[in-house]
Amino acid sequence: MYDYLIVGAGLAGSVLAERLAAKEGKKILLIDKRNHIGGNTYDYYDHDGILVHKYGPHIFHTNSKEVFDYLGRFTEWRPYEHRVLASVDGQLVPIPINQNTINALYGLNLNSDQVQEFFDSKAAHVSKVVTSEDVVLNAVGKELYEKFFKHYTKKQWDLDPSELDASVTSRVPTRTNKDNRYFTDVYQAMPLHGYTRMFERMLHHPNINIMLNTNYESVLSSINFKTLIYTGPIDAYFNYSCGKLPYRSIDFKFQTYDTDQYQSTGTINFPTSHAYTRITEFKHLTGQKHPKTSVVFEYPTAEGDPYYPIPRPENMEIYNRYKQLALAEENTYFTGRLGTYKYYNMDQVVAQSLTLFKKLNPPKSESLNGRKLTLSA
Ligand code: FAD
Ligand code: UDP
């Protein structure tokens, strides 16, 4: 009898498996229908020996010391700050839009205050920011919105930004300084030996049994367990009884080039041209030295593995119906990007799982002379 059956060996499931086994001595069966651990962060050495990310570029960044320190138990880190250029008007300019972007694009030499004035003169001043279109129009106005966001978003989501929650384009800020980094989080680093190695160390515990190539539905009747943690798509668990939750997928096309470097920075975005959204060169991310290089082109599609929950009100309505069903399910917990239908980054998924772990194992406390004494577990 297992204490826990955990469905999905991505970050959400693996963090819980590790915590429940290592800290609480629970017996865990961790299953995944894929043939590997790591979920969407899975990386591997390709036929040329280049470390690549099977499900698209994964760059770790967080403001949470707790999350960074927790993962740091299973990996050494390689400091890495991601930089992205956008191919716009025949130039490669920094995105998020910043002082350098504006000066390059318009042949100007504005300082930070002047860039703010530039934005103010262009911005649409939307009274209530609700959609992803509102966010960008409000910050930089129509021209830059069309150059950088409107068409990229249409490619990525097959929706106009006006049909998506504000949270989507809010992920990409606007700056008046010269900071060309994609993220500004306190901790920005890559697992020195890759994500898969980090997962191997995380899951190396006598109480954790792993079964790969194993679908939840196929083992449900044959395995005894007390509690279920489910990190797959929540609508699939309930057999789509409240309707199908839409997800966006991506076709990843890998190319190897017989050259040391393909492009000058980790990622180049193509907001207006091409069917793909961006090209990422892995060696920038991993720091690997190799005479050849590998890049990935991302072609968004409606069909395929569910990668992106699509944040918009009608989808939240469907999700909320599933959430009600989930709450009524005994000894069953849903977590992760698919289990809670949230457009979460890796660090948010780790934080969510650590929070669920604490909920499952609240600190033991007892009363002492009327006062509460909390015992550390
Ligand atoms: P997943 O990694 O999807 O794991 C769920 C697992 O459950 C899967 O392995 C799946 O096979 C398994 N599963 C599902 N159903 C079943 C079933 N019925 N039976 C058995 N197994 C099942 N985040 C960042 O912080 N930085 C980035 O740069 C970044 N880049 C990204 C790029 C792309 C293209 C994508 C798609 C995501 C990116 N993310 C990034 C987000 C990151 O991938 C997720 O936050 C994180 O991997 C989610 O972990 P998870 O465990 O919730 O889900
Ligand atoms: N986006 C855009 N142009 C860009 C970069 C981002 O329009 O050059 C929009 C697009 O809708 C995208 C969202 O902002 O889906 C979030 O971008 P991010 O880079 O965070 O996407 P992810 O890395 O999650 O694919």
Side-chain angles (χ1 to χ4, degrees), residues 222-238:
S222 56
I223 286 173
N224 288 326
F225 58 90
K226 294 181 191 156
T227 303
L228 174 68
I229 294 174
Y230 189 88
T231 76
I234 190 167
D235 56 342
Y237 176 90
F238 289 107

Side-chain angles (χ1 to χ4, degrees), residues 205-225:
H205 191 282
N207 281 11
I208 303 177
N209 270 7
I210 302 174
M211 281 169 66
L212 299 175
N213 302 303
T214 303
N215 205 311
Y216 167 64
E217 291 73 24
S218 70
V219 294
L220 185 55
S221 54
S222 56
I223 286 173
N224 288 326
F225 58 90

Side-chain angles (χ1 to χ4, degrees), residues 7-13 31-34 38-41 55-61 214-217 230-233 250 252 278 298 307-308 336-338 344-347 349:
V7 179
L11 268 177
I31 66 168
D32 202 297
K33 63 182 180 186
R34 290 171 169 165
N40 286 342
T41 73
Y55 305 98
H58 278 72
I59 298 117
F60 186 79
H61 56 101
T214 303
N215 205 311
Y216 167 64
E217 291 73 24
Y230 189 88
T231 76
I250 302 203
F252 300 106
R278 58 188 178 189
E298 296 182 45
Y307 293 138
Y308 288 86
R337 180 147 146 152
L338 305 172
Y344 272 169
N345 293 328
M346 291 183 278
D347 63 323
V349 169

Side-chain angles (χ1 to χ4, degrees), residues 67 69 76 92 118 170 182 198 272 280 294 308 375:
V67 168
D69 288 349
E76 294 159 67
L92 292 178
F118 179 93
S170 296
Y182 205 63
M198 180 179 84
T272 49
T280 298
S294 177
Y308 288 86
L375 304 171

Side-chain angles (χ1 to χ4, degrees), residues 57 84 86 95 132 145 148-154 156-157 161 164 167-172 182-183 250 269-271 277-278 298 308 337 343 345:
V84 180
I95 171 99
S132 270
Y145 164 71
F148 287 87
F149 287 91
K150 187 177 168 68
H151 308 288
Y152 184 109
T153 299
K154 176 74 181 158
Q156 170 71 15
W157 303 94
L164 281 164
S167 60
V168 176
T169 52
S170 296
R171 292 168 61 89
V172 184
Y182 205 63
F183 309 110
I250 302 203
N269 286 0
F270 295 86
T277 49
R278 58 188 178 189
E298 296 182 45
Y308 288 86
R337 180 147 146 152
Y343 185 3
N345 293 328

Side-chain angles (χ1 to χ4, degrees), residues 119-363:
F119 289 151
D120 290 344
S121 72
K122 303 272 181 191
H125 303 299
V126 182
S127 57
K128 190 159 178 259
V129 174
V130 177
T131 71
S132 270
E133 180 187 49
D134 299 339
V135 172
V136 186
L137 289 182
N138 195 46
V140 296
K142 194 160 186 279
E143 188 174 316
L144 290 167
Y145 164 71
E146 294 198 338
K147 285 186 197 297
F148 287 87
F149 287 91
K150 187 177 168 68
H151 308 288
Y152 184 109
T153 299
K154 176 74 181 158
K155 270 197 277 186
Q156 170 71 15
W157 303 94
D158 196 24
L159 291 170
D160 190 80
S162 61
E163 300 172 289
L164 281 164
D165 282 2
S167 60
V168 176
T169 52
S170 296
R171 292 168 61 89
V172 184
T174 304
R175 302 183 184 134
T176 56
N177 61 19
K178 294 181 175 177
D179 190 345
N180 286 343
R181 296 172 306 160
Y182 205 63
F183 309 110
T184 50
D185 300 54
V186 178
Y187 306 99
Q188 304 190 40
M190 298 290 288
L192 184 62
H193 303 291
Y195 290 97
T196 304
R197 182 76 71 83
M198 180 179 84
F199 274 81
E200 284 166 2
R201 288 174 64 180
M202 193 185 278
L203 297 174
H204 184 72
H205 191 282
N207 281 11
I208 303 177
N209 270 7
I210 302 174
M211 281 169 66
L212 299 175
N213 302 303
T214 303
N215 205 311
Y216 167 64
E217 291 73 24
S218 70
V219 294
L220 185 55
S221 54
S222 56
I223 286 173
N224 288 326
F225 58 90
K226 294 181 191 156
T227 303
L228 174 68
I229 294 174
Y230 189 88
T231 76
I234 190 167
D235 56 342
Y237 176 90
F238 289 107
N239 214 6
Y240 309 104
S241 58
C242 303
K244 218 168 173 317
L245 277 169
Y247 294 90
R248 198 73 179 141
S249 193
I250 302 203
D251 267 347
F252 300 106
K253 297 269 188 267
F254 292 81
Q255 279 283 348
T256 305
Y257 294 96
D258 211 348
T259 173
D260 179 44
Q261 192 182 90
Y262 176 81
Q263 59 190 29
S264 63
T265 191
T267 297
I268 298 188
N269 286 0
F270 295 86
T272 49
S273 51
H274 304 292
Y276 48 83
T277 49
R278 58 188 178 189
I279 304 177
T280 298
E281 183 172 16
F282 291 105
K283 281 166 61 184
H284 288 284
L285 279 53
T286 60
Q288 190 180 3
K289 302 278 176 254
H290 197 290
K292 293 187 182 180
T293 195
S294 177
V295 305
V296 65
F297 297 68
E298 296 182 45
Y299 294 84
T301 73
E303 304 304 322
D305 276 2
Y307 293 138
Y308 288 86
I310 306 177
R312 57 195 306 230
E314 47 267 71
N315 298 346
M316 282 315 292
E317 265 178 43
I318 304 175
Y319 169 67
N320 283 332
R321 280 183 236 142
Y322 283 118
K323 194 174 163 192
Q324 290 312 311
L325 294 181
L327 288 170
E329 205 76 346
E330 270 181 32
N331 298 326
T332 303
Y333 298 88
F334 294 82
T335 190
R337 180 147 146 152
L338 305 172
T340 56
Y341 200 68
K342 297 265 174 348
Y343 185 3
Y344 272 169
N345 293 328
M346 291 183 278
D347 63 323
Q348 294 170 299
V349 169
V350 173
Q352 189 189 31
S353 281
L354 292 176
T355 302
L356 177 54
F357 170 72
K358 285 173 200 156
K359 183 177 153 187
L360 294 169
N361 299 280

